[in-house]
């Protein structure tokens, strides 16, 4: 009987703890869904930066005599658009969710730990199938491991997530092996050469003037990435046109938070 009681207690404890990782990953996934459009807004800024700065140089006569300027610009721009879409898929996937999980549950002031000392609520969790109440969200005024605490500090959670997104985007754009740097450089090379080959000018790629032009495009692209990281990314969620995407969904995320035990 004693052994049975121990096994039962062990099972109950396991059941109580089993939801904890599920809840954490569920919330990280939910927040990632709301921040995907924010990343897309940032990438839209980068697309505009490319459009304004990439072709700020003279196209060599060897190329312009064979390839129409607008066709070359369109070919490179379309190539970069495809690359940026791939980047959106990358940046709004697992890296975004993992970053959100870390800033909420693994790093400074994680939402973990005992929520009963001091006690703020009259229950440790809602009955199965029910959610926490909004008033419990208001009462749970210190950081600990229950959903009302996350709800109470929602603005802090959002600030943490935005800071992490900025850091991740800067890394993609500024490190030599970052996704954006690596793929943008490759795209500029390949799309420029692809357009030239299509117009029968592929043999010119080794011409010094053509090589210098392609290198100039690459330099402009890298400079555009630097500008974007230094200006647009650092201001992400601080600008009026981003208000709805960054801040307009509290009433949708709060029920998602409070539904977890």
């Amino acid at each position: 009987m004693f052994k049975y009681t121990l096994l039962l207690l062990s099972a109950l404890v396991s059941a109580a703890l089993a939801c904890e990782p599920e809840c954490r990953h569920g919330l990280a996934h939910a927040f990632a869904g709301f921040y995907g459009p924010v990343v897309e807004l940032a990438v839209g800024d980068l697309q505009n930066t490319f459009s304004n700065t990439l072709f700020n140089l003279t196209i060599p006569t060897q190329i312009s005599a064979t390839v129409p300027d607008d066709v070359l610009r369109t070919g490179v721009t379309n190539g970069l658009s495809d690359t940026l879409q791939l980047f959106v898929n990358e940046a709004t996937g697992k890296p975004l969710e993992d970053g959100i999980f870390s800033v909420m549950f693994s790093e400074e002031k994680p939402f973990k730990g005992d929520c009963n000392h001091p006690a703020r609520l009259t229950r440790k969790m809602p009955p199965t199938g029910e959610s926490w109440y909004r008033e419990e969200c208001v009462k749970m005024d210190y950081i600990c491991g229950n959903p009302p605490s996350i709800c109470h500090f929602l603005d802090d959670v959002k600030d943490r997530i935005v800071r992490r997104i900025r850091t991740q985007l800067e890394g993609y754009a500024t490190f030599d092996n970052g996704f954006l740097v690596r793929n943008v450089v490759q795209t500029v090379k390949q799309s420029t050469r692809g357009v030239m080959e299509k117009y029968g000018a592929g043999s010119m790629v080794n011409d010094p003037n053509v090589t210098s032009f392609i290198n100039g495009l690459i330099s402009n692209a890298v400079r555009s990435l630097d500008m974007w990281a230094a200006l647009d990314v650092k201001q992400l969620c601080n600008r009026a046109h981003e208000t709805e995407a960054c801040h307009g969904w509290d009433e949708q995320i709060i029920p998602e938070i409070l539904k977890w035990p």
Side-chain angles (χ1 to χ4, degrees):
M1 182 67 178
F2 178 70
K3 290 175 67 177
Y4 172 78
T5 302
L6 286 179
L7 287 171
L8 180 60
L9 286 172
S10 175
L12 289 172
V13 170
S14 297
L17 295 177
C19 185
E20 196 166 303
E22 180 184 358
C23 296
R24 293 175 184 175
H25 286 287
L27 286 173
H29 180 76
F31 274 101
F34 285 104
Y35 278 102
V38 176
V39 174
E40 291 182 22
L41 280 174
V43 174
D45 289 334
L46 179 57
Q47 180 77 64
N48 291 336
T49 302
F50 282 143
S51 297
N52 293 331
T53 62
L54 190 64
F55 277 90
N56 288 344
L57 72 174
T58 302
I59 299 176
T61 55
Q62 295 98 314
I63 298 177
S64 58
T66 307
V67 183
D69 288 3
D70 61 331
V71 172
L72 180 61
R73 292 171 186 269
T74 299
V76 176
T77 299
N78 288 346
L80 286 172
S81 294
D82 292 342
T83 294
L84 292 183
Q85 185 56 57
L86 290 174
F87 171 65
V88 168
N89 297 340
E90 165 73 13
T92 59
K94 193 171 186 299
L96 176 60
E97 189 170 324
D98 288 350
I100 291 173
F101 183 93
S102 292
V103 297
M104 291 181 68
F105 303 114
S106 300
E107 298 177 5
E108 185 179 2
K109 296 181 180 179
F111 288 90
K112 290 182 178 180
D114 186 12
C115 296
N116 299 298
H117 295 89
R120 293 287 190 263
L121 310 179
T122 58
R123 56 183 183 168
K124 293 185 178 180
M125 66 175 62
T128 301
E130 294 186 17
S131 295
W132 298 92
Y133 300 133
R134 291 291 186 102
E135 53 264 35
E136 291 172 314
C137 173
V138 175
K139 292 175 181 178
M140 196 65 254
D141 61 356
Y142 63 90
I143 290 177
C144 63
N146 69 14
S149 178
I150 296 171
C151 176
H152 186 94
F153 292 95
L154 180 58
D155 286 343
D156 176 62
V157 171
K158 292 164 71 176
D159 286 343
R160 296 187 199 186
I161 293 172
V162 169
R163 288 197 298 269
R164 175 52 53 87
I165 291 173
R166 290 171 182 162
T167 299
Q168 288 181 328
L169 293 178
E170 288 172 5
Y172 286 124
T174 57
F175 295 146
D176 287 346
N177 63 344
F179 183 99
L180 275 173
V181 177
R182 185 176 67 251
N183 287 281
V184 163
V185 168
Q186 191 68 16
T187 296
V188 170
K189 286 181 182 178
Q190 290 180 345
S191 58
T192 304
R193 292 176 177 176
V195 173
M196 292 177 63
E197 289 172 359
K198 183 177 178 179
Y199 277 78
S203 59
M204 296 182 187
V205 294
N206 294 321
D207 182 282
N209 289 332
V210 174
T211 300
S212 177
F213 170 71
I214 294 175
N215 289 338
L217 287 178
I218 292 170
S219 294
N220 283 352
V222 172
R223 192 175 301 112
S224 295
L225 289 172
D226 289 340
M227 290 170 53
W228 176 68
L231 299 175
D232 293 316
V233 171
K234 287 190 183 302
Q235 289 300 313
L236 187 64
C237 287
N238 289 342
R239 296 170 294 187
H241 72 280
E242 297 163 340
T243 298
E244 183 62 29
C246 293
H247 307 293
W249 37 265
D250 286 11
E251 290 305 310
Q252 292 148 278
I253 196 67
I254 288 173
E256 180 69 24
I257 295 169
L258 296 180
K259 80 177 188 181
W260 293 98

